[in-house]
Amino acid sequence: EAGNDGTRGRPPANEDGTPHETLADQVVRLQQLISVLETQYSGDTIVLIFPDGVGPALLTCLIGGVPLSRVHELEYRSGEVRLNVDYPNARAYLSR
């Protein structure tokens, strides 16, 4: 069961040995990444590349204060580029 906020559901195990993480697991890793980036690259422009749409959607939720239960509404496509993801823009992506 994923729970009311949708963060605790664990997907099926992967065949390639990579961990099958919950959204909550991924959020912790993204928060750690952002903390390191803020410390080491403050003031610089940073480009993040993700292997799928879940990571950037979660990051957009974290930046915009969007509940994680709505992460599926952001629908990042493979190869999609979004620039200047900040609080107002993150929330605007939900209405598209």
Side-chain angles (χ1 to χ4, degrees):
E1 177 64 31
N4 291 338
D5 60 0
T7 61
R8 293 186 302 274
R10 189 167 301 280
N14 295 312
E15 295 176 4
D16 62 1
T18 57
H20 52 291
E21 298 178 312
T22 64
L23 289 180
D25 295 334
Q26 291 181 42
V27 164
V28 169
R29 287 192 312 114
L30 281 170
Q31 288 172 329
Q32 291 169 341
L33 170 67
I34 295 305
S35 177
V36 169
L37 293 175
E38 285 176 339
T39 301
Q40 293 183 352
Y41 302 103
S42 179
D44 291 344
T45 299
I46 298 170
V47 176
L48 298 175
I49 300 172
F50 294 89
D52 58 31
V54 176
L58 280 173
L59 187 56
T60 302
C61 285
L62 294 174
I63 291 170
V66 175
L68 296 179
S69 60
R70 298 184 66 188
V71 69
H72 65 282
E73 296 177 38
L74 294 170
E75 297 184 9
Y76 277 80
R77 289 186 215 94
S78 237
E80 182 175 352
V81 175
R82 294 190 188 180
L83 303 173
N84 299 323
V85 177
D86 57 11
Y87 185 85
N89 289 337
R91 299 193 71 77
Y93 287 134
L94 288 174
S95 61
R96 292 183 183 174

